[in-house]
């Protein structure tokens, strides 16, 4: 094995490690619409929260 083979092996090892990390990483498909991902945030009444925020801004 010469130095070029060692470099190729190192590069391939890094690529494989990165691929494995991406595959094992937990995926979060929730991008604001919590009803699509079944998250616990789907139980929050966002309309009531928005109304509270608007009322606070109006009272200032």
């Amino acid at each position: 094995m010469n130095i070029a083979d060692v470099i190729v092996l190192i590069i391939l090892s890094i690529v494989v490690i990165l691929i494995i990390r991406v595959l094992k990483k937990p995926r979060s498909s929730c991008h604001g619409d919590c009803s699509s991902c079944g998250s616990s945030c789907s139980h929050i009444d966002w309309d009531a929260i928005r109304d509270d925020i608007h009322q606070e801004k109006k009272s200032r």
Side-chain angles (χ1 to χ4, degrees):
M1 260 172 50
N2 59 19
I3 190 73
D5 292 336
V6 172
I7 293 172
V8 169
L9 281 174
I10 291 172
I11 292 173
L12 287 176
S13 299
I14 291 171
V15 169
V16 169
I17 289 171
L18 290 175
I19 290 172
I20 290 172
R21 284 184 65 202
V22 168
L23 292 176
K24 286 189 174 186
K25 186 177 182 182
R27 293 189 175 102
S28 174
S29 62
C30 191
H31 301 288
D33 182 16
C34 296
S35 62
S36 67
C37 66
S39 175
S40 63
C41 69
S42 62
H43 302 292
I44 297 174
D45 186 7
W46 289 109
D47 290 329
I49 293 173
R50 286 186 195 103
D51 289 340
D52 290 340
I53 292 171
H54 289 298
Q55 288 175 359
E56 286 179 16
K57 286 183 179 179
K58 286 180 183 178
S59 66
R60 289 183 186 176

